[in-house]
């Protein structure tokens, strides 16, 4: 178990890379590409950050490198979750919220147990991987059964800024 926790970023990067490879044969749409790419970038940036810095960058016992990566990921996940015509991005954004809350809680209360902090910061990434796997599977099944469908919510619901923002926005 400790080996799994020790190499979680490398394992996450490998799994996210597999999701990226799976997107092509499924003819996945934009949300799937964006989310699998985001998972890969999160794992890669966490790994690169730790290699370049030589370990965690701590402030009040909270890992600031992971906080920065998780904050950017949270913003990206919320945008995709709000506009995608899918449910699983909402689960991924919810899991990311737990991770971000763990970092903020650790900054506010540095005396919290290291195990509790690690569990709150790491476990949601596994939930995200499971949600992504289920989402890709359901997308493939729906596409096979019903054919192509909109990737994003209806353009009229999104407002004038998003109208005409790409090929998916033009579909009815």
């Amino acid at each position: 178990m400790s080996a799994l926790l020790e190499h979680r970023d490398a394992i996450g990067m490998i799994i996210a890379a597999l999701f990226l490879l799976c997107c092509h044969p499924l003819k996945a749409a934009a949300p799937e590409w964006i989310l699998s790419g985001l998972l890969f970038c999160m794992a890669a940036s966490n790994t690169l950050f730790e290699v370049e810095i030589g370990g965690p960058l701590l402030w009040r016992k909270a890992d600031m490198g992971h906080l920065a990566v998780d904050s950017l990921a949270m913003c990206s996940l919320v945008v995709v979750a709000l506009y995608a015509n899918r449910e699983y991005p909402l689960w991924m954004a919810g899991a990311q919220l737990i991770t971000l809350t763990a970092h903020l809680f650790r900054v506010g209360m540095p005396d919290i147990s290291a195990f509790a902090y690690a569990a709150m910061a790491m476990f949601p990434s596994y939930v995200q991987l499971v949600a992504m796997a289920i989402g890709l599977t359901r997308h493939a099944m729906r596409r096979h059964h019903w054919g192509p469908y909109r990737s994003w919510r209806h353009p009229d619901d999104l407002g004038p800024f998003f109208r005409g923002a790409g090929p998916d926005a033009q579909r009815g």
Side-chain angles (χ1 to χ4, degrees):
M1 183 67 173
S2 65
L4 181 68
L5 292 176
E6 189 174 313
H7 301 290
R8 82 172 177 95
D9 288 333
I11 293 168
M13 191 164 41
I14 291 167
I15 293 171
L18 291 173
F19 285 147
L20 278 171
L21 291 174
C22 290
C23 282
H24 179 67
L26 295 174
K27 296 180 181 162
E32 285 74 28
W33 279 103
I34 292 169
L35 293 173
S36 61
L38 180 65
L39 288 176
F40 180 78
C41 289
M42 285 171 57
S45 60
N46 282 334
T47 303
L48 288 174
F49 182 80
E50 288 184 11
V51 167
E52 288 297 318
I53 299 297
L57 180 62
L58 299 176
W59 180 67
R60 296 180 56 97
K61 297 183 183 178
D63 189 344
M64 291 293 111
H66 286 255
L67 175 63
V69 170
D70 289 335
S71 297
L72 292 173
M74 181 69 194
C75 294
S76 302
L77 281 167
V78 165
V79 169
V80 172
L82 289 176
Y83 295 115
N85 189 22
R86 315 278 193 270
E87 291 180 16
Y88 74 93
L90 294 169
W91 286 93
M92 293 176 71
Q96 190 65 29
L97 181 61
I98 294 169
T99 299
L100 191 58
T101 303
H103 295 303
L104 298 176
F105 196 75
R106 181 69 169 201
V107 169
M109 290 186 63
D111 297 332
I112 188 175
S113 152
F115 177 76
Y117 172 58
M120 279 182 66
M122 286 190 248
F123 180 71
S125 64
Y126 296 113
V127 173
Q128 288 174 328
L129 292 174
V130 169
M132 185 72 198
I134 292 170
L136 276 172
T137 304
R138 297 289 299 152
H139 170 69
M141 290 170 53
R142 182 175 178 187
R143 216 177 151 111
H144 176 73
H145 188 262
W146 296 101
Y149 62 99
R150 283 195 320 258
S151 295
W152 307 104
R153 294 176 55 203
H154 196 275
D156 293 336
D157 296 338
L158 299 178
F161 180 74
F162 291 98
R163 284 192 202 121
D168 290 339
Q170 299 300 320
R171 286 197 224 160

